[in-house]
């Protein structure tokens, strides 16, 4: 079976998510206006394990033993993944652009225009999925009328929209949804001052010109301990907020000049934040930021809650700094930080040397003691515009994608490359999903109308295999460092 499977659906795809052994892709062309159909397609992710074995005869001294012990069998198993369509929901009107899947694929949250539509999914009948709409709620109040993000995080439904707001939603048994929390961009207009517009409303059309597109939410994520939320905006910045106290902790700006942040994800322990950096017609970067928690913040986690909160910082959401080796956030007190060992610092120096030798713009922090919100590393990952970022279930792997349709998978611990998949799609990648049912598959989709299922190396990023890869990477870097030192000695002896 090939290591990659691609399915052409015939209409653009804008959103992808999954639950367990199922995934859902959504998109369309706006059936009522263009004639290109809209839809949500559900796939079952099937894995197939093939094994090859070889036997070696036992020694003559054990020839009298039973047949089960007279030979040594070595089995090598390889898993491949494929997709099988189990259901399709076709829609009229505007094309759905975002989707989130409930536990076991029992619920679907689909973003259409300014609303989030909720569907129940019945997968009891083999090979056929039945859909039933439970309700919908409005999640965007801007004249653009666009819900840009929907995610299920910490057991709650979270939406991001063009109006610059991130909201969480609760529902009753009749699936009537009410807003619980709200994080609003400082430049966003308060909802109480907004005149709600519908399609065809002339006031809404006029207000589009006045709307600030930079406040639109492009991505959100919540740390595993539920203490912080990261919000990425279209203006290219990421705001880090305290989830319960609803205070702005820090604003991240791109490390590289004229670049913009596109996506954000927390590490498994919540001490690091990953962001994608992009600039049109240029290479893209994946950055890793240090987020060591201070005592005041740790003690306050879970100490307060609110049912209708909003963020209104006194200052605009602008970066407090470009990255500086000596700067740290002045608004948040810090505790003593973890000191890096001498081998770790030397390792970072070697990485910087190797990066410059290969003409890469990657950067690695070489300080022994990093400060809060400082940059650990910024690695060049793509040759084109950064489009998507996603992590697997245990957050040990990170997948990123670009405008050329290329997808790469890296280890979260050191951003080392696990697998590069060039031009899986012909258009920018719009969705990535790591199935929780298998560790050897990666699903992606694109506006080119294709869904791809790619098989990854077995147990990538985990266990003994990862240790072997990490050891190999270190040996390569040490070899480069030794060659550089030898070259330096030769140059010194030659010219001095």
């Amino acid at each position: 079976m090939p290591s990659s499977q691609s399915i052409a659906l015939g209409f653009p795809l804008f959103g992808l998510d999954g639950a367990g052994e199922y995934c859902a892709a959504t998109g369309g062309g706006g059936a009522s206006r263009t004639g290109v159909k809209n839809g949500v397609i559900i796939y079952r992710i099937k894995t197939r394990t093939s094994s090859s074995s070889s036997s070696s005869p036992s020694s003559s001294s054990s020839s009298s033993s039973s047949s089960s012990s007279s030979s040594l069998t070595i089995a090598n198993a390889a898993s491949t993944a494929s997709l099988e369509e189990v259901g399709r929901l076709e829609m009229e009107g505007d094309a759905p652009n975002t989707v989130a899947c409930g536990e076991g694929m029992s619920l679907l949250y689909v973003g259409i225009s300014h609303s989030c539509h909720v569907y129940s999914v019945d997968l009891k009948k083999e090979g056929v999925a039945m859909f039933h709409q439970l309700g919908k709620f409005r999640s965007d109040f801007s004249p653009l009328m666009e819900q840009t993000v929907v995610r299920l995080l910490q057991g709650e439904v979270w939406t991001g929209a063009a109006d610059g707001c991130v909201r969480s939603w609760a529902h009753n048994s009749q699936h009537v949804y009410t807003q619980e929390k709200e994080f609003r961009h400082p430049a966003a207009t308060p909802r109480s001052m907004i005149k709600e517009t519908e399609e065809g409303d002339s006031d809404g059309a006029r207000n589009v010109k006045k709307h600030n597109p930079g406040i639109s939410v492009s991505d959100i994520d919540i740390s595993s301990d539920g203490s912080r939320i990261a919000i990425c905006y279209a203006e290219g910045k990421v705001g880090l907020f305290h989830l319960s106290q609803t205070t702005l902790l820090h604003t991240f700006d791109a490390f590289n000049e004229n670049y913009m942040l596109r996506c954000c994800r927390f590490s498994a322990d919540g001490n690091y934040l990953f962001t994608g950096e992009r600039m049109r017609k240029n290479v893209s970067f994946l950055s890793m930021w240090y987020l060591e928690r201070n005592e005041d913040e740790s003690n306050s986690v879970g100490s307060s809650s609110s049912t209708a909160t909003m963020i209104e910082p006194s200052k605009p959401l602008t970066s407090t700094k470009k990255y500086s080796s000596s700067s740290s956030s002045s608004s948040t007190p810090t505790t003593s930080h973890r000191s890096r060992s001498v081998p770790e610092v030397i390792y970072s120096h070697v990485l910087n040397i190797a990066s410059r030798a290969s003409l890469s713009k990657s950067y690695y922090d070489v300080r022994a003691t990093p400060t809060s919100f400082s940059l650990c590393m910024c690695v060049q990952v793509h040759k084109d515009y950064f489009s998507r970022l996603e992590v697997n279930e245990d957050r040990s792997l990170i997948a990123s994608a670009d405008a050329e349709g290329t997808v790469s998978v890296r280890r979260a611990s050191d951003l080392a490359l696990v697998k590069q998949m060039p031009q899986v799609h012909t258009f920018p990648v719009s969705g990535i999903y790591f199935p929780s049912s298998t560790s050897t598959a990666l699903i992606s989709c694109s506006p080119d109308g294709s869904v791809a299922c790619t098989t990854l190396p077995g147990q990538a990023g985990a266990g003994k295999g990862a240790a072997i890869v990490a050891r190999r990477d270190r040996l390569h870097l040490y070899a480069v460092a030794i060659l550089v030192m030898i070259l330096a000695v030769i140059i010194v002896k030659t010219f001095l």
Side-chain angles (χ1 to χ4, degrees):
M1 185 177 291
S3 61
S4 182
Q5 174 194 14
S6 182
I7 302 173
L9 296 177
F11 58 88
L13 295 173
F14 306 117
L16 178 69
D17 195 25
E21 62 177 333
Y22 297 96
C23 67
T26 185
S32 61
R33 300 176 183 177
T34 65
V36 180
K37 60 185 177 181
N38 307 320
V40 179
I41 302 92
I42 295 182
Y43 293 98
R44 177 185 286 113
I45 303 162
K46 302 174 66 177
T47 56
R48 177 182 176 184
T49 303
S50 58
S51 61
S52 58
S53 61
S54 58
S55 300
S56 59
S58 61
S59 61
S60 58
S61 61
S62 58
S63 57
S64 61
S65 303
S66 62
S67 59
S68 61
S69 60
S70 62
S71 63
L72 176 64
T73 301
I74 305 174
N76 297 314
S79 296
T80 55
S82 62
L83 298 176
E84 176 189 21
E85 183 176 329
V86 296
R88 181 179 296 218
L89 173 64
E90 295 190 354
M91 311 172 177
E92 297 296 329
D94 292 332
N97 59 351
T98 57
V99 64
C101 303
E103 185 176 354
M105 195 57 77
S106 58
L107 291 173
L108 282 179
Y109 298 89
V110 182
I112 304 175
S113 185
H114 55 53
S115 300
C116 188
H117 296 240
V118 186
Y119 296 88
S120 65
V121 184
D122 185 0
L123 295 167
K124 293 180 180 179
K125 188 175 181 181
E126 183 67 25
V128 179
M130 304 297 293
F131 300 88
H132 175 66
Q133 185 165 2
L134 300 176
K136 69 176 183 178
F137 55 92
R138 183 160 185 172
S139 55
D140 177 48
F141 299 89
S142 75
L144 295 182
M145 296 190 296
E146 182 183 9
Q147 175 186 292
T148 54
V149 181
V150 58
R151 298 195 67 195
L152 264 67
L153 301 169
Q154 301 291 326
E156 291 184 300
V157 181
W158 289 84
T159 61
D163 62 3
C165 294
V166 170
R167 302 176 174 94
S168 67
W169 304 86
H171 65 87
N172 58 19
S173 57
Q174 285 76 39
H175 279 274
V176 176
Y177 284 78
T178 56
Q179 179 182 309
E180 289 220 322
K181 297 184 181 71
E182 181 180 276
F183 293 82
R184 188 173 69 240
H185 188 286
T189 304
R191 182 174 170 181
S192 59
M193 299 173 60
I194 297 176
K195 176 185 176 183
E196 295 186 12
T197 57
E198 300 292 343
E199 287 188 65
D201 190 327
S202 58
D203 289 338
R206 285 194 295 269
N207 289 335
V208 168
K209 296 182 180 179
K210 301 178 182 178
H211 181 72
N212 178 8
I215 68 174
S216 179
V217 177
S218 59
D219 201 7
I220 56 177
D221 196 28
I222 295 178
S223 59
S224 56
D225 63 359
S227 65
R228 310 186 202 189
I229 180 170
I231 305 174
C232 185
Y233 297 98
E235 64 185 0
K237 303 180 189 299
V238 171
L240 180 68
F241 298 94
H242 193 290
L243 190 60
S244 61
Q245 293 185 355
T246 64
T247 52
L248 178 63
L249 300 174
H250 191 72
T251 301
F252 294 93
D253 202 352
F255 169 70
N256 295 282
E257 188 175 0
N258 297 324
Y259 272 72
M260 302 173 66
L261 299 182
R262 171 61 179 87
C263 309
C264 56
R265 288 292 183 271
F266 284 97
S267 63
D269 59 8
N271 289 333
Y272 297 91
L273 181 70
F274 303 102
T275 59
E277 296 192 12
R278 68 181 186 179
M279 183 171 71
R280 289 194 179 276
K281 298 182 180 180
N282 215 320
V283 296
S284 296
F285 296 86
L286 178 60
S287 298
M288 181 178 179
W289 305 86
Y290 184 59
L291 305 178
E292 185 171 8
R293 182 176 293 105
N294 60 83
E295 293 180 0
D296 291 344
E297 184 184 347
S298 299
N299 294 335
S300 64
V301 172
S303 62
S304 63
S305 60
S306 176
T307 58
T309 58
M310 59 185 64
I311 295 301
E312 293 186 280
S314 57
K315 297 181 180 180
L317 188 66
T318 56
S319 178
T320 56
K321 60 179 180 57
K322 277 287 185 178
Y323 173 74
S324 171
S325 61
S326 61
S327 63
S328 62
S329 173
S330 59
S331 60
T332 306
T334 58
T335 58
S336 58
H337 301 287
R338 180 187 68 87
S339 296
R340 302 168 70 199
S341 63
V342 173
E344 287 179 316
V345 174
I346 295 175
Y347 185 68
S348 296
H349 277 288
V350 173
L351 287 170
N352 273 328
I353 294 172
S355 174
R356 289 181 174 84
S358 62
L359 301 180
S360 169
K361 297 180 181 179
S362 299
Y363 168 83
Y364 302 88
D365 187 14
V366 297
R367 291 174 299 165
T369 305
T371 57
S372 291
F373 312 123
S374 63
L375 181 67
C376 296
M377 59 184 75
C378 183
V379 180
Q380 184 176 317
V381 290
H382 294 289
K383 297 180 180 179
D384 209 335
Y385 202 53
F386 199 103
S387 63
R388 295 297 300 175
L389 178 68
E390 194 53 83
V391 294
N392 65 341
E393 187 176 31
D394 63 5
R395 297 180 181 255
S396 62
L397 295 177
I398 304 175
S400 61
D402 68 5
E404 285 187 339
T406 297
V407 180
S408 67
V409 179
R410 295 176 179 269
R411 290 198 307 265
S413 58
D414 56 3
L415 303 188
L417 182 66
V418 174
K419 185 172 184 178
Q420 182 92 357
M421 294 155 278
Q423 297 181 332
V424 178
H425 303 278
T426 56
F427 277 39
V429 177
S430 56
I432 300 174
Y433 171 61
F434 281 99
S436 58
S437 59
T438 174
S439 61
T440 59
L442 178 72
I443 317 298
S444 59
C445 71
S446 168
D448 66 4
S450 65
V451 177
C453 177
T454 305
T455 301
L456 300 176
Q459 297 298 319
K464 185 178 179 181
I468 294 174
V469 173
R471 193 180 305 116
R472 181 198 63 192
D473 292 344
R474 284 196 298 271
L475 290 174
H476 286 174
L477 289 168
Y478 291 150
V480 171
I482 292 172
L483 289 175
V484 169
M485 287 187 288
I486 293 174
L487 181 62
V489 171
I490 293 174
I491 292 173
V492 169
K493 288 186 175 181
T494 303
F495 295 100
L496 297 180

